[in-house]
Amino acid sequence: MSETEIIEDLTRLEELEGAWDDLAVANAEPTSGPAWMLGWWRHAAPPDARLRVVTVHDHGELIGIVPLCVEPTDPHRYVLLAHNFTSSVTPLARADRTWEVAEVAARALRQAQPRLRSIALAPLLASSPWVAALPDVWPARIRPLVLRHSVVDAPTISLRHDSLDDWLSNRGSSFRANARKRRKQFERAGGTARTSTHETITADIQKFIALHASRWRPLGESRLVALGERLPHLLGELAQALLPTERFRLLLLELDGEPVGAQLTLAGGGELVGVNTGWDERFKHFSPARLALLYALEDSIARNEHRYSLGREASHRLGRGTSSYKLGFADGNDPVAESVLLPRDPRLAGTLFTSDVVRRQLRRSVRQALSDDEIDKAKRLLKRVRRSPK
Amino acid sequence: MSEAELISDLPRLEELSAQWDALAVTNAAPESGPAWMIGWWRHVAPQDALLRVVAVHDRGELIGIAPLYVDLGQSRLRRCHRLLASDFSGYVTPLALPDRAWEVAEAVARALMATEPRPSALELGPLPSPSPWVAALRERWPGRIRPIAYRTNLLEVPTVSLYQESFDVWLKSLNSHFRSNCRRYRRRFEKEGGTERISTPATVTADIQTFTRLHTARWERLGGSRLVALGERLPLLLGDLAQALLPEERFRLLILEINGEPISADLCLTAGGEIIGVNIGWDERFKHLSAPRLSMLSMIEQGFRHGDHRVSLGWGRVDYKHTFANGSNAAAWDVLLPAGSQLPLALARAAPTAANRRMLQSAKRLLPAEEVDRLRGLRKRISQVRA
């Protein structure tokens, strides 16, 4: 018989790090493990957020974890840890025990304080079983309402190839030729690629931060840059937790010893998740981001890993009609969805209207119903209305 | 760029068998491969059914398949598309290469909307959980309005995960009472001269006859089974399956014998490490030997030997399954109703079933477990009296 516990303090959660990490590896979910989620909690979570992590044990073994917290903006809305900091996060369970874990966790959550009025199951893979399992086993006479308010493409690269050359042979001839040309140019100019080790990690983290900040600060849209002085601490902790098992992969591209590009990837259970990149604009002609990805793919294929996840930002941030270099690499798609679970209680109507659920649902329906041209027209119209003097 | 091909004739579908089977193996979906589905089409499908299989290719490679059919037998106006063998399987599902389900779903949806008869409803089930297909088809359906989606049923499927190093380690992971029972069953069986074997190409024809005889004898008295209902078509179906899957040891017919006399025959299919039990037949005279349990133990042992990952015990309610299971999954039955002129009719047709299901689900939530079991027993008795 499985037992449940709601963990509200970090120390208790840290005690479970080993078992939690095993679950993350078994589920091939590097960004739902303790290193990433607790790193987010320590360095990126809102200051007044409260931990509400549900753990499920069977005969002393951790068989599932639903890592939630409550943010100060809405104390009755439960969200997954690191939800705003990564492409996808998820509760975890041992193989074929998701429904059992969901049932036990749902019972615990029903009793949790502050009283739960909604759970944001986001961003979760669109095929995740949790969105079906939690409402189905929810301990109430009426099933909770589940609303899905966005589905975003998340490009992926399959690594089931014998070598990088084998992978390249499946790409278009122009992509293949470009990739080989760039690499040759870089290596001919004295360029080298290396992955951080215990000896180099502290300095490499500083190099990554410098390259990342110089690239993204002017663009003003990096969640990592926004962390400021907390970023080296977060990366340091991640490295400490994951470097010994070679799951923290910081790849440095150097020209005559000078760093020109860096890429950080986390791995677990054969899945790789690209965290972020940085490069020196002076060496833009080498396409450091593409080069780094190629080197990372070569390394991962050699390690017999399965998949490189490029993240939903790859297509999301760019919007319609544009393309990212990442999309050129992708050969698959595992979309990510945002859903919200709303238990039926007398305050449901209030919850619906005070949260942004209805607005997002409406926006999604309008997007589906209108063509691209109509959406552009509507956007222009809205802009004009907003600008016009009141 | 992927291309969709609508297939409505069997010879063309058979040409794709090898690539389709590779997809079934990649997806670990034994009952969604060509052996099972084409077998069903040849021997079980309704007479007025039309093949509506959508194959999706990318540069000549089959990257996905939605094996559908439409049954025009009941009404020419009803254009409900279903998955092949959906009324005959533990799980069925469209298939795609890893991470290409959404791309395949988009191509499938476009192909279905571009042909006649257009689907008025798409019934998908029993789908394994998790499955991307309902979300993917709904999101990628062409048109301004997404199809209406609803779930008609969701059932628990007990499973045995074979993640341990060996059969002995798995046995040790069970509780001591169950473990000692297992050992007792085996000792008793061996003491009475029991032996077991898996069908080989040399024995399979006779073994299929044995399976048919034992299964029919067992189930005819209990009111029949989907296999018994096939009558003379059953050995033909099993023969086709054996021919396709036995060379790769994915058709596993386990025969238990006492002094050379078969007392039990248990059929499983496998693909990509997933084992699915099709059905079993056993001689009631040897009830004291607990043949289904013995057989299950041996199938699990076979699974470890072949490096399989999981045994799916199916959603049928049989108590002994739960004693073996160390996990569970779900089978879901979902329906998509595309917007269009047929929608009001499709909604009107779907409403009574959906309401009935919703009522049953609500009753399950509202009533205590004992009360639900009592009602279930009552329903079973009524249906037996009717039969």
Side-chain angles (χ1 to χ4, degrees), chain B residues 222-223 377-387:
Chain B
L222 297 174
L378 189 66
R379 198 175 62 180
K380 205 173 173 183
R381 277 203 299 278
I382 291 170
S383 61
Q384 274 170 356
V385 168
R386 270 191 193 162

Side-chain angles (χ1 to χ4, degrees), chain B residues 318-350:
Chain B
V318 182
D319 287 341
Y320 78 85
K321 288 179 182 175
H322 285 274
T323 57
F324 281 89
N326 57 12
S328 70
N329 207 335
W333 284 256
D334 292 302
V335 181
L336 289 177
L337 300 176
S341 58
Q342 286 283 314
L343 183 61
L345 198 62
L347 273 174
R349 199 172 277 134

Side-chain angles (χ1 to χ4, degrees), chain A residues 291-312:
Chain A
L291 265 180
L293 189 49
L294 271 178
Y295 281 111
L297 291 180
E298 185 173 31
D299 177 55
S300 314
I301 291 170
R303 291 172 192 260
N304 283 323
E305 284 164 331
H306 311 314
R307 187 171 86 154
Y308 197 106
S309 176
L310 295 165
R312 60 190 170 133

Side-chain angles (χ1 to χ4, degrees), chain A residues 12 29 42 58 68-69 114 124 128 166 179 182 223 229 237 250 259 266 269 301 307 314 328 372:
Chain A
R12 170 69 188 124
E29 290 283 358
R42 290 189 198 105
D58 185 15
L68 297 166
C69 71
L124 241 70
S128 166
D166 181 34
R182 273 192 208 106
R223 58 188 179 178
E229 289 179 1
E237 279 180 20
L250 182 50
L266 300 185
I301 291 170
R307 187 171 86 154
D372 286 357

Side-chain angles (χ1 to χ4, degrees), chain B residues 78-159:
Chain B
R78 195 169 183 178
R79 304 162 194 163
C80 174
H81 285 50
R82 296 190 182 97
L83 287 160
L84 298 179
S86 54
D87 59 345
F88 208 68
S89 315
Y91 286 130
V92 280
T93 175
L95 301 169
L97 284 182
D99 291 348
R100 304 202 64 177
W102 286 65
E103 180 186 347
V104 169
E106 184 165 357
V108 168
R110 283 185 193 285
L112 289 176
M113 289 304 278
T115 55
E116 283 300 328
R118 271 191 188 185
S120 58
L122 195 57
E123 288 186 7
L124 299 170
L127 287 171
S129 170
S131 166
W133 293 100
V134 175
L137 283 163
R138 186 165 185 249
E139 293 295 330
R140 297 291 197 249
W141 202 268
R144 295 189 169 212
I145 303 169
R146 282 194 303 269
I148 294 170
Y150 66 94
R151 176 157 288 171
T152 58
N153 204 4
L154 185 80
L155 290 176
E156 186 197 358
V157 180
T159 58

Side-chain angles (χ1 to χ4, degrees), chain A residues 4 30-31 62 147 153 155 158 200 215 238 252 289 294 330 364 377:
Chain A
T4 181
T31 50
L62 184 73
L147 299 174
D153 287 344
S158 169
T200 64
R215 165 85 188 117
L238 275 172
L252 269 292
L294 271 178
R364 182 159 183 249
K377 266 185 207 160

Side-chain angles (χ1 to χ4, degrees), chain A residues 95-97 99-100 126-129 132 135-138 140-144 148 151 153 156 170-172 307 331-335 364-365 368-371 374, chain B residues 59 98-103 129-132 135 138-146 151 154 159-161 163 310-311 326-330 358 361-362 365-366:
Chain A
D96 286 352
R97 303 197 72 171
W99 291 73
E100 178 186 348
S127 56
S128 166
D136 195 63
V137 297
W138 196 261
R141 297 194 162 204
I142 306 174
R143 278 164 60 95
R148 172 172 283 183
V151 178
D153 287 344
T156 59
N170 285 291
R171 315 301 305 167
R307 187 171 86 154
D331 53 18
N333 179 22
D334 198 2
R364 182 159 183 249
S365 301
Q368 171 89 18
L370 300 181
S371 66
E374 287 165 337
Chain B
R59 286 174 285 174
D99 291 348
R100 304 202 64 177
W102 286 65
E103 180 186 347
S129 170
S131 166
R138 186 165 185 249
E139 293 295 330
R140 297 291 197 249
W141 202 268
R144 295 189 169 212
I145 303 169
R146 282 194 303 269
R151 176 157 288 171
L154 185 80
T159 58
V160 185
S161 279
Y163 59 84
R310 188 168 80 158
V311 184
N326 57 12
S328 70
N329 207 335
R358 187 51 67 97
Q361 281 164 7
S362 302
R365 280 180 173 272
L366 291 166

